[in-house]
């Protein structure tokens, strides 16, 4: 059975303690590889390597850093098929999604920051003829990058690429649930000739490897994407150490549909924003609010389309919905369906496990689920489910739907469907989220700030925001007379 290795100081190495954990293929519910069960000793060695590499990498000219990063992007492109298959096997997502979204976007992340660093310029402030100030942007040091399982390589690279471009060295931990493409990335970094110690990838559990990175005195900057509770745990450790932190956390995103929307466009996009990646995208719109005049029509059409979605193994040609990532996650999602019923919700479709035939009979599949009849403030409508489960609810006025939309502790993203331009601007302004999509969903320009408000996180990724996060501004004031 394949054994994944850590990538430390430019080499693929076994964990110091020699312990491994099972890595499960969620489409079959079967162990298919082993992953290092690393601990603080591995993290210590990785941080030492990253610290030793920092003085040289931080002053390596930008164009040279960019060339390494672009080489990694090219290698990801060249290995698209292999990486996409590995991602789908590890995560359970349909292969077409890995092939068209996850892997190409991982390459795009490296390319974006490889080129971006070449165009980044810091500020200068002139005090007329008495003095001039300029801002040096210096890399912070060893960056700790910790990512979740839902978009494994994509979110991993979204942190690593800007950190490396900015001149930081990195100790990274992918989710232990989906480690494979991070491992394959380490092979590609070796092939790209990335200097040793610049990027280190330590596999293992969050409470061992993740917390050892977060609490280490030689890691002054932490970029984390994951659940809100984990984010709070990390902040509790990192804040008293005055570390820089970017926390991209959970969401409970509203999808607001006004009666004057472009109905067909709205319906086809809502299918995606509800169920893409089995609903396991932090940006999915899991609370759907529909203006009353079109509520019944929407409900009937949405349910009919959803019933037709093919749930299947990730490599099936007709598959639209693959497996959810793990058995505990499947159980968690289904427990929310039970909760919804207790709270008075009516399950319009789905709401149960799907058992496939043959070798996939033990995989973790859930029928896409639509629930109606719940109040905006019940637990089902307030807590993150992170699966193929959405609720639908009618509304009568703009004020009312804004109140519903803004009622959760989260504030990551929202979607608004209307052909009324004035209303679109007004509603966008009044939504308490870091991202608002109007008449679209998941349309991403990598230059834009990405992140949430309230319990959805602190800080922004994307564009030059990420370069600024991984660098420290230093003002130099020079008197002219
Ligand atoms: P978790 O918070 O459970 O885990 C995220 C990562 O943190 C994993 O690598 C995990 O390791 C690690 N970790 C766990 N505990 C600690 C700790 N104490 N110290 C340091 N690291 C730790 O999230 P999930 O993997 O379950 O991902 C799903 C969540 O991610 C959802 O809430 C989703 O909304 C959010 N998310 C947010 C996004 C955003 O941009 N805002 C984007 C995508 C997802 P291990 O795997 O071993 O537990």
């Amino acid at each position: 059975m394949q054994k994944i290795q850590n990538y430390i100081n430019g080499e693929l190495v076994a964990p110091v303690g020699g312990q491994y954990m099972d890595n499960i293929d969620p489409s079959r519910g079967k162990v298919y590889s082993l992953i290092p069960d690393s601990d603080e000793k591995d993290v210590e060695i990785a941080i030492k390597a990253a610290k030793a590499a920092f003085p040289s990498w931080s002053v390596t000219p930008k164009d040279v850093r960019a060339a390494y990063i672009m080489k990694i992007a090219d290698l990801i492109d060249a290995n698209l098929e292999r990486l996409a298959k590995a991602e789908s096997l590890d995560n359970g997502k349909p292969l077409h999604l890995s092939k068209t979204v996850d892997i190409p976007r991982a390459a795009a992340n490296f390319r974006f920051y490889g080129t971006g660093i070449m165009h980044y310029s810091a500020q200068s402030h002139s005090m007329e003829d008495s003095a001039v100030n300029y801002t040096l942007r210096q890399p912070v040091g060893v960056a700790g990058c910790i990512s979740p399982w839902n978009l494994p390589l994509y979110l991993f690279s979204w942190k690593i690429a800007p950190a490396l471009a900015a001149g930081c060295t990195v100790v990274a931990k992918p989710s232990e649930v989906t480690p494979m493409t991070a491992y394959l990335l380490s092979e590609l970094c070796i092939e790209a000739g990335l200097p040793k110690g610049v990027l280190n990838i330590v596999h293992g559990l969050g409470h061992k490897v993740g917390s050892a990175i977060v609490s280490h005195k030689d890691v002054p900057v932490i970029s984390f994407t994951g659940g809100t509770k984990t984010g709070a745990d990390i902040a509790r450790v990192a804040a008293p150490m005055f570390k820089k932190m970017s926390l991209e956390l959970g969401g409970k995103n509203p999808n607001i549909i006004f009666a004057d929307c472009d109905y067909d466009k709205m319906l086809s996009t809502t299918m995606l924003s509800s169920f893409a990646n089995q609903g396991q995208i932090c940006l999915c719109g899991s609370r759907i609010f529909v203006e009353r005049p079109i509520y019944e029509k929407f409900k009937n059409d949405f349910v009919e389309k959803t019933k037709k979605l093919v749930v299947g193994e990730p490599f099936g040609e007709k598959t639209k919905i693959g497996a959810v990532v793990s058995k505990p996650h499947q159980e968690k999602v289904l427990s929310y369906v039970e909760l919804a019923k207790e709270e008075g919700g009516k399950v319009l479709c789905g709401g149960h496990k799907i058992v496939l035939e043959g070798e996939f009979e033990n995989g973790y599949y859930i029928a896409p689920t639509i629930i109606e009849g719940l109040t905006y403030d019940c637990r089902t409508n307030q807590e993150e489910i992170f699966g193929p489960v959405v609720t639908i609810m009618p509304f009568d006025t703009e004020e009312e739907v804004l109140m519903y939309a803004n009622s959760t502790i989260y504030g990551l993203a929202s979607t608004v469907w209307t052909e009324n331009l004035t209303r679109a601007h007004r509603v966008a302004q009044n939504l308490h989220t870091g991202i608002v999509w109007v008449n679209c969903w998941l349309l991403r320009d990598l230059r834009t700030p990405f992140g949430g408000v309230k319990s959805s996180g602190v800080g922004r990724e994307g564009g030059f925001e990420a370069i600024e996060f991984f660098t420290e501004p230093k003002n130099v004031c020079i008197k002219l007379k």
Side-chain angles (χ1 to χ4, degrees):
M1 194 171 293
Q2 184 182 8
K3 266 188 183 170
I4 285 175
Q5 305 282 280
N6 289 331
Y7 171 50
I8 297 179
N9 208 22
E11 285 175 15
L12 298 175
V13 292
V16 174
Q19 298 300 309
Y20 287 83
M21 301 178 281
D22 292 341
N23 185 25
I24 294 171
D25 159 9
S27 72
R28 294 178 178 80
K30 220 172 115 183
V31 179
Y32 83 103
S33 61
L34 296 173
I35 159 176
D37 182 7
S38 313
D39 59 27
E40 69 284 352
K41 292 186 219 72
D42 302 280
V43 172
E44 186 65 44
I45 297 168
I47 292 174
K48 213 169 152 200
K51 204 176 162 192
F54 180 73
S56 156
W57 182 250
S58 60
V59 297
T60 297
K62 287 176 185 55
D63 56 336
V64 178
R65 291 205 301 261
Y68 283 117
I69 292 167
M70 300 299 272
K71 176 84 180 151
I72 295 170
D74 291 346
L75 286 169
I76 292 174
D77 281 345
N79 287 275
L80 170 67
E81 285 286 326
R82 191 163 74 98
L83 288 165
K85 281 184 186 158
E87 199 72 295
S88 285
L89 186 63
D90 216 24
N91 173 280
K93 65 177 70 197
L95 180 62
H96 76 87
L97 204 62
S98 302
K99 242 188 202 170
T100 57
V101 181
D102 290 76
I103 307 305
R105 284 194 181 195
N109 289 343
F110 279 105
R111 204 159 273 127
F112 178 81
Y113 282 106
T115 52
I117 195 63
M118 305 287 286
H119 298 269
Y120 181 73
S121 55
Q123 290 178 320
S124 163
H125 300 91
S126 164
M127 298 169 76
E128 286 70 50
D129 61 352
S130 62
V132 65
N133 295 271
Y134 61 88
T135 309
L136 282 177
R137 276 272 166 191
Q138 294 174 312
V140 182
V142 177
C145 297
I146 301 174
S147 59
W149 47 257
N150 62 327
L151 304 165
L153 188 62
Y154 174 44
L155 290 176
F156 199 56
S157 56
W158 187 232
K159 300 180 177 311
I160 290 170
L164 296 180
C168 289
T169 54
V170 174
V171 175
K173 189 196 99 63
S175 171
E176 141 260 337
V177 185
T178 52
M180 189 55 84
T181 47
Y183 171 62
L184 297 177
L185 177 71
S186 52
E187 290 183 346
L188 299 182
C189 289
I190 293 172
E191 195 178 334
L194 192 68
K196 61 180 194 174
V198 166
L199 172 63
N200 305 272
I201 300 175
V202 186
H203 296 273
L205 295 167
H207 68 267
K208 282 159 89 173
V209 174
S211 55
I213 294 172
V214 170
S215 60
H216 201 287
K217 64 176 178 34
D218 292 333
V219 180
V221 52
I222 304 287
S223 175
F224 169 80
T225 298
T228 293
K229 192 189 158 301
T230 316
D233 291 344
I234 287 174
R236 252 191 298 279
V237 175
M241 298 174 84
F242 306 108
K243 298 191 179 206
K244 270 188 115 174
M245 263 185 289
S246 164
L247 303 175
E248 300 294 339
L249 310 177
K252 187 75 181 175
N253 309 310
N255 178 4
I256 302 173
I257 301 169
F258 286 96
D260 68 352
C261 67
D262 178 333
Y263 188 83
D264 292 340
K265 201 161 79 177
M266 174 281 294
L267 188 60
S268 56
T269 308
T270 293
M271 293 301 294
L272 293 173
S273 65
S274 303
F275 301 122
N277 204 39
Q278 298 69 249
Q280 302 166 135
I281 302 180
C282 53
L283 306 163
C284 277
S286 55
R287 295 179 296 149
I288 305 177
F289 302 113
V290 187
E291 206 173 8
R292 200 171 301 272
I294 60 163
Y295 181 78
E296 284 302 318
K297 176 175 167 47
F298 170 80
K299 175 171 122 180
N300 294 333
D301 293 345
F302 186 44
V303 169
E304 193 188 316
K305 266 180 160 309
T306 301
K307 281 183 175 163
K308 287 190 188 141
L309 286 174
V310 177
V311 178
E313 54 101 358
F315 296 92
E317 274 181 13
K318 293 194 181 129
T319 298
K320 291 279 184 247
I321 309 270
V324 298
V325 78
S326 66
K327 191 164 180 55
H329 193 59
Q330 183 193 39
E331 284 164 3
K332 177 194 148 184
V333 172
L334 289 172
S335 77
Y336 270 102
V337 177
E338 291 313 307
L339 174 69
K341 288 184 200 159
E342 282 163 28
E343 291 183 319
K346 182 174 167 200
V347 177
L348 300 175
C349 63
H352 52 82
K353 269 185 207 180
I354 288 203
V355 179
L356 299 183
E357 289 180 350
E359 60 177 312
F360 301 103
E361 67 177 353
N362 294 320
Y364 315 131
Y365 301 92
I366 299 178
T369 304
I370 304 172
I371 302 169
E372 76 165 350
L374 292 166
T375 57
Y376 77 93
D377 57 353
C378 66
R379 278 184 57 204
T380 310
N381 270 331
Q382 294 289 315
E383 297 176 16
E384 186 182 45
I385 301 174
F386 214 56
V389 176
V390 297
T391 63
I392 60 172
M393 193 175 157
F395 69 89
D396 292 300
T397 67
E398 199 177 299
E399 294 69 34
E400 178 192 7
V401 78
L402 277 169
M403 189 274 281
Y404 294 163
N406 291 333
S407 67
T408 74
I409 59 165
Y410 298 106
L412 186 53
S414 46
T415 306
V416 182
W417 291 95
T418 178
E419 292 293 298
N420 178 330
L421 182 67
T422 322
R423 172 157 59 201
H425 286 295
R426 192 172 53 234
V427 171
Q429 252 188 42
N430 288 305
L431 281 165
H432 302 163
T433 57
I435 299 158
V436 181
W437 276 296
V438 178
N439 299 333
C440 59
W441 177 71
L442 211 63
L443 191 54
R444 292 277 298 122
D445 179 327
L446 299 184
R447 293 170 300 179
T448 59
F450 179 91
V453 299
K454 303 196 282 182
S455 296
S456 289
V458 177
R460 292 292 181 274
E461 299 188 308
F464 290 142
E465 305 261 352
I467 299 286
E468 289 179 356
F469 174 70
F470 287 110
T471 55
E472 201 67 79
K474 180 191 284 173
N475 189 64
V476 180
C477 177
I478 301 174
K479 199 159 186 325
L480 296 180
K481 294 187 203 158

